[in-house]
Short mmCIF file of all heavy atoms in Angstrom, two decimals:
data_model
loop_
_atom_site.label_atom_id
_atom_site.label_comp_id
_atom_site.label_asym_id
_atom_site.label_seq_id
_atom_site.Cartn_x
_atom_site.Cartn_y
_atom_site.Cartn_z
N LYS A 218 3.99 11.93 -21.55
CA LYS A 218 5.41 12.12 -21.04
C LYS A 218 5.40 13.23 -19.89
O LYS A 218 6.46 13.36 -19.40
CB LYS A 218 6.29 12.55 -22.17
CG LYS A 218 6.42 11.48 -23.23
CD LYS A 218 7.47 11.84 -24.24
CE LYS A 218 7.74 10.66 -25.33
NZ LYS A 218 8.80 11.05 -26.26
N ILE A 219 4.28 13.94 -19.70
CA ILE A 219 4.41 15.06 -18.75
C ILE A 219 4.41 14.38 -17.34
O ILE A 219 5.22 14.93 -16.49
CB ILE A 219 3.15 15.88 -18.87
CG1 ILE A 219 3.18 16.67 -20.27
CG2 ILE A 219 3.10 16.90 -17.70
CD1 ILE A 219 2.01 17.47 -20.54
N GLY A 220 3.72 13.35 -17.02
CA GLY A 220 3.76 12.73 -15.69
C GLY A 220 5.09 12.28 -15.23
O GLY A 220 5.63 12.80 -14.20
N PRO A 221 5.75 11.55 -16.07
CA PRO A 221 7.16 11.22 -15.71
C PRO A 221 8.17 12.39 -15.47
O PRO A 221 9.08 12.46 -14.59
CB PRO A 221 7.68 10.41 -16.89
CG PRO A 221 6.50 9.77 -17.30
CD PRO A 221 5.38 10.83 -17.16
N LEU A 222 7.88 13.46 -16.33
CA LEU A 222 8.73 14.63 -16.07
C LEU A 222 8.47 15.37 -14.81
O LEU A 222 9.41 15.83 -14.17
CB LEU A 222 8.46 15.58 -17.32
CG LEU A 222 9.13 17.10 -17.18
CD1 LEU A 222 10.77 16.79 -17.19
CD2 LEU A 222 8.67 17.91 -18.33
N LEU A 223 7.38 15.29 -14.40
CA LEU A 223 6.92 15.93 -13.03
C LEU A 223 7.63 15.23 -11.88
O LEU A 223 8.07 15.79 -10.99
CB LEU A 223 5.38 15.93 -12.92
CG LEU A 223 4.60 16.81 -13.81
CD1 LEU A 223 3.01 16.68 -13.37
CD2 LEU A 223 4.98 18.29 -13.54
N GLY A 224 7.82 13.85 -12.09
CA GLY A 224 8.50 13.01 -11.09
C GLY A 224 9.89 13.54 -11.06
O GLY A 224 10.53 13.61 -9.88
N GLU A 225 10.55 13.73 -12.18
CA GLU A 225 11.95 14.26 -12.17
C GLU A 225 12.06 15.63 -11.55
O GLU A 225 12.95 15.89 -10.84
CB GLU A 225 12.44 14.33 -13.63
CG GLU A 225 12.54 12.97 -14.21
CD GLU A 225 12.84 13.03 -15.79
OE1 GLU A 225 13.42 14.10 -16.13
OE2 GLU A 225 12.73 12.07 -16.52
N LEU A 226 11.09 16.57 -11.99
CA LEU A 226 11.19 17.85 -11.48
C LEU A 226 10.97 17.98 -10.00
O LEU A 226 11.48 18.82 -9.22
CB LEU A 226 10.06 18.78 -12.16
CG LEU A 226 10.31 19.07 -13.64
CD1 LEU A 226 9.17 19.72 -14.24
CD2 LEU A 226 11.61 19.88 -13.83
N GLY A 227 10.26 16.94 -9.46
CA GLY A 227 9.97 16.98 -7.99
C GLY A 227 11.16 16.71 -7.22
O GLY A 227 11.13 16.83 -5.92
N THR A 228 12.22 16.18 -7.86
CA THR A 228 13.51 15.92 -7.05
C THR A 228 14.56 16.92 -7.45
O THR A 228 15.68 16.89 -6.93
CB THR A 228 14.03 14.57 -7.46
OG1 THR A 228 14.32 14.53 -8.81
CG2 THR A 228 12.92 13.50 -7.23
N GLN A 229 14.23 17.91 -8.33
CA GLN A 229 15.26 18.95 -8.68
C GLN A 229 15.11 20.20 -7.89
O GLN A 229 14.04 20.77 -7.81
CB GLN A 229 15.16 19.20 -10.16
CG GLN A 229 15.46 18.04 -11.06
CD GLN A 229 15.22 18.48 -12.54
OE1 GLN A 229 15.01 19.57 -12.95
NE2 GLN A 229 15.38 17.46 -13.42
N PRO A 230 16.13 20.61 -7.10
CA PRO A 230 15.98 21.88 -6.28
C PRO A 230 15.94 23.10 -7.17
O PRO A 230 16.38 23.16 -8.29
CB PRO A 230 17.21 21.78 -5.42
CG PRO A 230 18.25 20.94 -6.27
CD PRO A 230 17.43 19.98 -6.92
N VAL A 231 15.16 23.97 -6.62
CA VAL A 231 15.18 25.32 -7.30
C VAL A 231 16.19 26.27 -6.80
O VAL A 231 16.62 26.02 -5.63
CB VAL A 231 13.77 26.10 -7.18
CG1 VAL A 231 12.68 25.18 -7.76
CG2 VAL A 231 13.37 26.23 -5.72
N THR A 232 16.77 27.09 -7.53
CA THR A 232 17.85 27.86 -7.17
C THR A 232 17.46 29.25 -6.70
O THR A 232 18.07 29.96 -5.79
CB THR A 232 18.82 28.22 -8.31
OG1 THR A 232 18.11 28.72 -9.46
CG2 THR A 232 19.44 26.84 -8.79
N ASP A 233 16.28 29.71 -7.08
CA ASP A 233 15.83 31.08 -6.67
C ASP A 233 14.87 30.95 -5.44
O ASP A 233 14.24 29.93 -5.29
CB ASP A 233 15.08 31.76 -7.78
CG ASP A 233 16.04 32.04 -9.01
OD1 ASP A 233 17.21 32.31 -8.78
OD2 ASP A 233 15.51 31.87 -10.11
N GLN A 234 14.73 32.02 -4.73
CA GLN A 234 13.87 31.96 -3.53
C GLN A 234 12.43 32.31 -4.07
O GLN A 234 12.25 33.03 -5.09
CB GLN A 234 14.31 33.23 -2.64
CG GLN A 234 15.45 33.01 -1.77
CD GLN A 234 15.45 31.71 -1.01
OE1 GLN A 234 14.43 31.52 -0.26
NE2 GLN A 234 16.39 30.89 -1.01
N PRO A 235 11.43 31.61 -3.53
CA PRO A 235 10.07 31.82 -3.86
C PRO A 235 9.61 33.30 -3.84
O PRO A 235 10.18 34.05 -2.95
CB PRO A 235 9.21 31.04 -2.96
CG PRO A 235 10.27 29.93 -2.45
CD PRO A 235 11.54 30.57 -2.41
N VAL A 236 8.88 33.84 -4.76
CA VAL A 236 8.37 35.08 -4.61
C VAL A 236 7.27 35.19 -3.76
O VAL A 236 6.16 34.47 -3.96
CB VAL A 236 7.77 35.60 -6.08
CG1 VAL A 236 7.23 36.98 -6.12
CG2 VAL A 236 9.07 35.70 -7.02
N ARG A 237 7.23 35.88 -2.64
CA ARG A 237 6.24 36.04 -1.68
C ARG A 237 5.51 37.35 -1.68
O ARG A 237 6.17 38.40 -1.94
CB ARG A 237 6.83 35.86 -0.32
CG ARG A 237 7.38 34.39 -0.11
CD ARG A 237 6.33 33.33 -0.31
NE ARG A 237 5.21 33.50 0.60
CZ ARG A 237 5.06 33.34 1.80
NH1 ARG A 237 6.12 32.80 2.45
NH2 ARG A 237 4.02 33.46 2.43
N LEU A 238 4.32 37.31 -1.57
CA LEU A 238 3.43 38.58 -1.41
C LEU A 238 3.55 39.11 0.02
O LEU A 238 3.78 38.31 0.92
CB LEU A 238 2.03 38.46 -1.85
CG LEU A 238 1.90 38.04 -3.41
CD1 LEU A 238 0.38 37.76 -3.57
CD2 LEU A 238 2.38 39.14 -4.20
N PRO A 239 3.40 40.43 0.22
CA PRO A 239 3.30 40.90 1.68
C PRO A 239 2.11 40.32 2.35
O PRO A 239 1.10 39.74 1.78
CB PRO A 239 3.03 42.46 1.41
CG PRO A 239 3.48 42.73 0.08
CD PRO A 239 3.22 41.44 -0.78
N PRO A 240 2.14 40.10 3.66
CA PRO A 240 1.14 39.30 4.31
C PRO A 240 -0.29 39.94 4.16
O PRO A 240 -1.26 39.24 4.09
CB PRO A 240 1.57 39.55 5.88
CG PRO A 240 3.00 39.66 5.80
CD PRO A 240 3.29 40.56 4.56
N ASP A 241 -0.39 41.19 3.96
CA ASP A 241 -1.81 41.84 3.77
C ASP A 241 -2.35 41.51 2.54
O ASP A 241 -3.55 41.69 2.25
CB ASP A 241 -1.73 43.35 3.91
CG ASP A 241 -0.78 44.03 2.82
OD1 ASP A 241 0.09 43.44 2.31
OD2 ASP A 241 -1.13 45.18 2.47
N ARG A 242 -1.56 40.98 1.57
CA ARG A 242 -2.07 40.55 0.36
C ARG A 242 -2.40 38.98 0.25
O ARG A 242 -3.12 38.51 -0.62
CB ARG A 242 -1.14 40.80 -0.86
CG ARG A 242 -1.04 42.16 -1.11
CD ARG A 242 -0.61 42.45 -2.66
NE ARG A 242 -0.34 43.97 -2.83
CZ ARG A 242 -1.35 44.77 -3.23
NH1 ARG A 242 -2.60 44.36 -3.14
NH2 ARG A 242 -1.13 46.01 -3.32
N MET A 243 -1.90 38.25 1.25
CA MET A 243 -2.14 36.90 1.25
C MET A 243 -3.45 36.53 2.22
O MET A 243 -3.43 36.00 3.16
CB MET A 243 -0.95 36.13 1.96
CG MET A 243 0.24 36.31 1.23
SD MET A 243 0.19 35.84 -0.60
CE MET A 243 -0.02 34.05 -0.22
N VAL A 244 -4.56 37.08 1.48
CA VAL A 244 -5.84 36.84 2.16
C VAL A 244 -6.80 36.35 1.18
O VAL A 244 -6.62 36.45 -0.06
CB VAL A 244 -6.39 38.32 2.74
CG1 VAL A 244 -5.46 38.72 3.91
CG2 VAL A 244 -6.45 39.27 1.65
N PRO A 245 -7.93 35.66 1.62
CA PRO A 245 -8.97 35.16 0.73
C PRO A 245 -9.45 36.35 -0.13
O PRO A 245 -9.52 37.52 0.24
CB PRO A 245 -10.04 34.66 1.53
CG PRO A 245 -9.29 34.31 2.85
CD PRO A 245 -8.30 35.36 3.03
N ALA A 246 -9.75 36.18 -1.48
CA ALA A 246 -10.08 37.27 -2.37
C ALA A 246 -11.17 36.68 -3.27
O ALA A 246 -11.10 35.54 -3.63
CB ALA A 246 -8.92 37.88 -3.14
N GLU A 247 -12.01 37.57 -3.83
CA GLU A 247 -12.80 37.20 -4.83
C GLU A 247 -12.02 37.13 -6.21
O GLU A 247 -11.45 38.11 -6.69
CB GLU A 247 -14.01 38.32 -5.06
CG GLU A 247 -14.95 38.17 -3.95
CD GLU A 247 -15.60 36.87 -3.77
OE1 GLU A 247 -16.30 36.36 -4.74
OE2 GLU A 247 -15.41 36.25 -2.66
N VAL A 248 -11.79 35.89 -6.70
CA VAL A 248 -10.79 35.61 -7.71
C VAL A 248 -9.59 36.12 -7.00
O VAL A 248 -9.25 35.81 -5.87
CB VAL A 248 -10.96 36.22 -8.96
CG1 VAL A 248 -9.98 35.60 -10.01
CG2 VAL A 248 -12.41 35.93 -9.41
N ASP A 249 -8.72 36.83 -7.62
CA ASP A 249 -7.44 37.36 -6.96
C ASP A 249 -7.40 38.73 -7.23
O ASP A 249 -6.36 39.44 -7.49
CB ASP A 249 -6.24 36.66 -7.37
CG ASP A 249 -5.93 36.59 -8.82
OD1 ASP A 249 -6.95 36.75 -9.57
OD2 ASP A 249 -4.80 36.44 -9.25
N ALA A 250 -8.58 39.47 -7.11
CA ALA A 250 -8.56 40.94 -7.35
C ALA A 250 -7.72 41.69 -6.35
O ALA A 250 -7.13 42.68 -6.69
CB ALA A 250 -10.13 41.46 -7.17
N VAL A 251 -7.50 41.14 -5.12
CA VAL A 251 -6.64 41.77 -4.15
C VAL A 251 -5.23 41.78 -4.67
O VAL A 251 -4.50 42.83 -4.54
CB VAL A 251 -6.79 41.12 -2.85
CG1 VAL A 251 -5.70 41.67 -1.84
CG2 VAL A 251 -8.15 41.34 -2.18
N VAL A 252 -4.79 40.60 -5.24
CA VAL A 252 -3.40 40.44 -5.69
C VAL A 252 -3.21 40.90 -7.02
O VAL A 252 -2.11 41.00 -7.60
CB VAL A 252 -2.88 39.04 -5.39
CG1 VAL A 252 -2.93 38.60 -4.04
CG2 VAL A 252 -3.60 38.07 -6.31
N GLU A 253 -4.22 41.25 -7.69
CA GLU A 253 -4.14 41.61 -9.11
C GLU A 253 -3.24 42.90 -9.24
O GLU A 253 -2.36 42.87 -10.24
CB GLU A 253 -5.55 42.03 -9.65
CG GLU A 253 -5.56 42.41 -11.19
CD GLU A 253 -5.24 41.23 -12.03
OE1 GLU A 253 -6.10 40.25 -11.94
OE2 GLU A 253 -4.23 41.11 -12.68
N SER A 254 -3.27 43.85 -8.40
CA SER A 254 -2.50 45.04 -8.59
C SER A 254 -1.02 44.78 -8.31
O SER A 254 -0.24 45.61 -8.63
CB SER A 254 -3.00 46.09 -7.54
OG SER A 254 -2.77 45.60 -6.22
N ALA A 255 -0.63 43.55 -7.93
CA ALA A 255 0.80 43.25 -7.73
C ALA A 255 1.56 43.09 -9.03
O ALA A 255 2.74 43.55 -9.11
CB ALA A 255 0.97 41.90 -7.00
N ASP A 256 0.90 42.82 -10.15
CA ASP A 256 1.58 42.69 -11.42
C ASP A 256 1.06 43.63 -12.42
O ASP A 256 1.60 43.75 -13.43
CB ASP A 256 1.38 41.26 -11.92
CG ASP A 256 2.44 40.30 -11.34
OD1 ASP A 256 3.23 40.78 -10.54
OD2 ASP A 256 2.33 39.07 -11.67
N GLY A 257 -0.01 44.27 -12.29
CA GLY A 257 -0.75 45.15 -13.32
C GLY A 257 -1.39 46.39 -12.67
O GLY A 257 -1.82 46.39 -11.56
N SER A 258 -1.42 47.35 -13.48
CA SER A 258 -2.13 48.56 -13.12
C SER A 258 -3.19 48.99 -14.09
O SER A 258 -3.02 48.50 -15.23
CB SER A 258 -1.04 49.71 -12.91
OG SER A 258 -0.41 49.90 -14.23
N ALA A 259 -4.29 49.57 -13.66
CA ALA A 259 -5.32 49.90 -14.50
C ALA A 259 -5.26 51.18 -15.10
O ALA A 259 -4.75 52.13 -14.55
CB ALA A 259 -6.63 49.82 -13.57
N SER A 260 -5.64 51.21 -16.30
CA SER A 260 -5.71 52.54 -17.04
C SER A 260 -7.09 53.06 -16.99
O SER A 260 -8.00 52.44 -16.35
CB SER A 260 -5.33 52.41 -18.52
OG SER A 260 -6.30 51.56 -19.16
N SER A 261 -7.39 54.15 -17.80
CA SER A 261 -8.73 54.74 -17.79
C SER A 261 -9.60 53.75 -18.51
O SER A 261 -9.19 52.96 -19.26
CB SER A 261 -8.70 56.03 -18.42
OG SER A 261 -8.18 55.85 -19.81
N PRO A 262 -10.92 53.88 -18.15
CA PRO A 262 -11.90 52.98 -18.86
C PRO A 262 -11.85 53.05 -20.33
O PRO A 262 -11.62 54.11 -20.92
CB PRO A 262 -13.21 53.36 -18.34
CG PRO A 262 -12.89 54.07 -17.10
CD PRO A 262 -11.67 54.74 -17.17
N ASP A 263 -11.92 51.87 -21.07
CA ASP A 263 -11.96 51.88 -22.53
C ASP A 263 -13.50 51.91 -22.84
O ASP A 263 -14.41 51.99 -22.03
CB ASP A 263 -11.40 50.64 -23.04
CG ASP A 263 -9.82 50.78 -23.36
OD1 ASP A 263 -9.58 51.68 -24.16
OD2 ASP A 263 -9.05 49.96 -22.72
N THR A 264 -13.64 51.93 -24.16
CA THR A 264 -15.03 52.14 -24.73
C THR A 264 -15.66 50.69 -24.94
O THR A 264 -16.75 50.58 -25.46
CB THR A 264 -15.10 52.85 -25.99
OG1 THR A 264 -14.10 52.16 -27.04
CG2 THR A 264 -14.50 54.28 -25.81
N TYR A 265 -14.98 49.63 -24.50
CA TYR A 265 -15.46 48.34 -24.68
C TYR A 265 -16.39 47.92 -23.56
O TYR A 265 -16.19 48.31 -22.37
CB TYR A 265 -14.33 47.23 -24.82
CG TYR A 265 -13.22 47.64 -25.64
CD1 TYR A 265 -11.93 47.77 -25.18
CD2 TYR A 265 -13.40 48.08 -27.03
CE1 TYR A 265 -10.88 48.11 -26.07
CE2 TYR A 265 -12.41 48.38 -27.77
CZ TYR A 265 -11.17 48.54 -27.31
OH TYR A 265 -9.97 48.85 -28.08
#
Side-chain angles (χ1 to χ4, degrees):
K218 295 186 177 181
I219 297 177
L222 175 61
L223 293 177
E225 297 175 15
L226 291 172
T228 63
Q229 295 177 4
V231 298
T232 56
D233 298 324
Q234 290 298 313
V236 175
R237 298 297 311 283
L238 296 175
D241 64 332
R242 292 205 182 278
M243 300 303 293
V244 296
E247 290 301 299
V248 191
D249 54 340
V251 173
V252 298
E253 183 70 61
S254 60
D256 278 357
S258 58
S260 66
S261 58
D263 271 305
T264 56
Y265 315 125

